[in-house]
Amino acid sequence: MRGDGGGYDPDHMKRSEPGLHPVLAELLPAELHALCTQVQAGKGERLFATGKKPAFMFFVICGEVTLERLGRNGESVILQRSRHGFVGEASLNSPRYHCDARAVADSTLARIPIRELRASLERDPVFAMRWICMLNREVKRLRMQCERFSLNGVQHRLIHLIETEGTQGRYPLGAGLKSVAKELGVTHEALYRCVAALEKNGDLLRDGGELHLLREPAA
Amino acid sequence: MRGDGGGYDPDHMKRSEPGLHPVLAELLPAELHALCTQVQAGKGERLFATGKKPAFMFFVICGEVTLERLGRNGESVILQRSRHGFVGEASLNSPRYHCDARAVADSTLARIPIRELRASLERDPVFAMRWICMLNREVKRLRMQCERFSLNGVQHRLIHLIETEGTQGRYPLGAGLKSVAKELGVTHEALYRCVAALEKNGDLLRDGGELHLLREPAA
DNA sequence: CGTACTTTTGAATCGCATCAAATCTGGTGG
DNA sequence: CCACCAGATTTGATGCGATTCAAAAGTACG
């Protein structure tokens, strides 16, 4: 039921010291590989706290992590919710964490020591350029996500998701429609109804593990 | 009514070839300084177009620039609204622009040649690290914007905006509430009503050029 | 078999988009 | 100084669509 690992060998997360996650293995230079460790975080566990000196950067492999900050009245404001990818890149250059990180579901994470990561970036321009490209992709992805959120109507958002994040009109639902609903910022009920309506119209097919957009809905 | 120039000498924008903007002067290495030019863009002018080969990156000094994409029905969707800072960082390593940039107010911009920028990044690790820090801030901002869009209710979004993008509960409205409404992804009518309700409750003050959140609304 | 979860459908409510229109504002020119 | 216009601001009325609450049916797992 964690399901959001991106299609990699699910056995990974059971091993105590598995190989580095493919995305990280490709991005990071060899000298950092050995310094990264894979860790488990139980639901509710805190990864780091506001004000502490940043020691590690985290990469979410599966599960869910939030960054939160306290508002002026003590209520917590969620800054970011991550189910896959880096968390707290900003801590790379901060003397202190500016927010709390908390696993809101049982999660598998890669832990990268910041001091050594920094050192590698400063000494290896090719790695630095890869890192910049990674950040550029992240910026682009986030902009598309903002665009999607700015659409009104579940149907518009769903189609935008399939067309921008999917391939050939196909979008894999790793963890079920319910998690897709969260990604779209709508309730799962609304998404179920939307999918059902599109299917009845013959605009969409649900083939087991993926959504297949057949044509542009007339409406 | 532009107001967001960051407090620098307003005469800057009148000179035809003024010194480089302080933020850029600090960020960019010396060899790039001479290659940057300051340009004026009239309201409505397009800085670059989707699909074109990226030649320049822009930095907004004053005025307002939007990044937009065309939705399927020809309506333009705003991805980003920038009154100060970089526009189109992602074009650094892209063969094509993935969106349009347009000045929505008379604006002063710095124009940086991408080819030379990339060359400097590849050869100068210290500069690359500064660039990475800049991108980190941008990623952080975008993540917060996504989180904001995921909130339901105009009020929640507005408060989140003030608490995350503002300082001390104060948020400057450079171009009026109408542009804030777009930033929040709601109609301006809805935002006006929300602000009016918060003011009547004594939770919010509208002091000329800025919103001031006095306390957390009980509701 | 029972537990826990997802999936699905139903019904009621509410908030926002939408359309409309009045007021206010700053700017321009007679 | 006034007439006038374009844009921002504000208020009102209406309808739709998503949220919400509720519950049933399907599914995986021990």
Side-chain angles (χ1 to χ4, degrees):
Chain A
M1 189 39 56
R2 14 191 65 146
D4 199 31
Y8 300 108
D9 175 14
D11 274 344
H12 262 155
M13 61 192 89
K14 294 174 190 161
R15 280 177 251 151
S16 60
E17 198 49 62
L20 201 54
H21 189 279
V23 171
L24 288 181
E26 213 176 297
L27 176 66
L28 300 178
E31 77 256 24
L32 282 180
H33 286 196
L35 299 174
C36 297
T37 56
Q38 189 158 314
V39 298
Q40 299 289 330
K43 177 173 179 171
E45 194 172 323
R46 198 162 63 176
L47 304 179
F48 56 75
T50 303
K52 299 288 190 202
K53 187 163 170 290
F56 298 102
M57 184 176 299
F58 293 89
F59 180 93
V60 182
I61 295 168
C62 76
E64 185 167 347
V65 172
T66 60
L67 291 188
E68 37 194 284
R69 203 168 80 178
L70 292 184
R72 83 196 60 265
N73 297 2
E75 87 290 8
S76 84
V77 180
I78 303 230
L79 302 180
Q80 172 190 164
R81 182 180 308 270
S82 194
R83 292 195 298 278
H84 188 255
F86 282 99
V87 160
E89 305 98 316
S91 60
L92 184 67
N93 54 311
S94 296
R96 310 177 168 284
Y97 288 113
H98 62 287
C99 56
D100 287 5
R102 185 182 305 279
V104 291
D106 292 345
S107 303
T108 303
L109 310 158
R111 205 183 63 173
I112 309 157
I114 286 183
R115 169 183 292 280
E116 286 78 4
L117 173 61
R118 251 193 94 89
S120 290
L121 282 171
E122 279 164 351
R123 117 168 50 90
D124 180 349
V126 178
F127 171 41
M129 189 50 96
R130 277 204 307 273
W131 193 263
I132 286 174
C133 290
M134 182 272 290
L135 288 173
N136 278 339
R137 280 193 302 273
E138 189 68 9
V139 166
K140 214 158 84 174
R141 246 204 56 237
L142 286 166
R143 285 213 221 290
M144 290 206 290
Q145 196 176 345
C146 284
E147 176 179 359
R148 190 174 313 132
F149 276 130
S150 80
L151 299 175
N152 287 339
V154 180
Q155 179 176 308
H156 290 322
R157 290 195 193 173
L158 176 61
I159 289 169
H160 185 277
L161 178 72
I162 297 175
E163 289 191 334
T164 59
E165 304 263 343
T167 53
Q168 307 288 339
R170 290 163 184 278
Y171 182 83
L173 344 99
L177 277 185
K178 208 168 171 180
S179 87
V180 174
K182 274 192 180 173
E183 206 165 328
L184 292 177
V186 299
T187 60
H188 62 275
E189 293 99 324
L191 181 59
Y192 280 125
R193 281 185 254 259
C194 172
V195 168
L198 285 171
E199 268 189 314
K200 194 159 61 181
N201 258 39
D203 298 323
L204 190 77
L205 258 185
R206 196 164 7 158
D207 169 28
E210 68 178 16
L211 292 177
H212 190 178
L213 186 62
L214 298 173
R215 63 175 182 191
E216 192 65 19
Chain B
M1 190 38 73
R2 20 187 62 141
D4 198 31
Y8 300 111
D9 174 14
D11 276 345
H12 260 154
M13 61 191 92
K14 294 173 191 162
R15 278 177 253 153
S16 61
E17 196 50 62
L20 200 55
H21 188 280
V23 171
L24 286 182
E26 215 176 297
L27 176 66
L28 301 178
E31 76 258 24
L32 282 181
H33 287 195
L35 299 174
C36 297
T37 56
Q38 190 157 316
V39 297
Q40 298 290 329
K43 178 172 178 175
E45 195 171 322
R46 198 163 62 178
L47 305 178
F48 56 75
T50 305
K52 299 287 190 204
K53 187 165 172 289
F56 298 103
M57 186 175 299
F58 293 89
F59 180 92
V60 183
I61 295 168
C62 77
E64 187 164 347
V65 171
T66 58
L67 290 187
E68 36 192 285
R69 278 176 74 154
L70 291 184
R72 76 197 59 266
N73 298 354
E75 86 288 8
S76 82
V77 183
I78 306 245
L79 303 182
Q80 182 193 4
R81 179 177 305 272
S82 198
R83 291 192 299 275
H84 189 250
F86 280 100
V87 162
E89 309 95 312
S91 59
L92 183 68
N93 58 320
S94 295
R96 309 177 170 285
Y97 288 113
H98 64 285
C99 55
D100 287 5
R102 184 182 306 277
V104 291
D106 292 346
S107 304
T108 303
L109 310 158
R111 206 183 61 173
I112 308 156
I114 286 183
R115 171 185 292 279
E116 287 78 3
L117 172 62
R118 190 163 44 214
S120 290
L121 282 171
E122 279 164 351
R123 117 169 51 89
D124 180 347
V126 178
F127 172 41
M129 184 55 87
R130 281 201 306 270
W131 193 262
I132 286 172
C133 292
M134 183 273 291
L135 286 173
N136 279 339
R137 285 191 298 272
E138 186 67 9
V139 166
K140 206 161 88 178
R141 249 204 58 241
L142 285 167
R143 291 227 170 105
M144 292 200 295
Q145 194 177 346
C146 284
E147 189 62 36
R148 184 151 59 238
F149 274 129
S150 80
L151 299 176
N152 286 340
V154 180
Q155 179 176 308
H156 290 322
R157 289 195 194 174
L158 176 61
I159 289 169
H160 188 276
L161 178 72
I162 297 176
E163 289 195 333
T164 59
E165 304 261 346
T167 52
Q168 306 291 338
R170 291 165 184 276
Y171 181 82
L173 344 98
L177 275 185
K178 211 168 170 180
S179 88
V180 174
K182 275 193 178 173
E183 205 166 328
L184 291 176
V186 299
T187 60
H188 62 276
E189 295 98 325
L191 181 58
Y192 281 125
R193 280 185 252 261
C194 173
V195 169
L198 286 172
E199 267 189 314
K200 193 159 61 182
N201 259 40
D203 297 324
L204 189 77
L205 258 186
R206 197 164 8 156
D207 169 29
E210 67 178 18
L211 292 177
H212 189 179
L213 186 62
L214 297 174
R215 62 175 184 191
E216 191 67 20

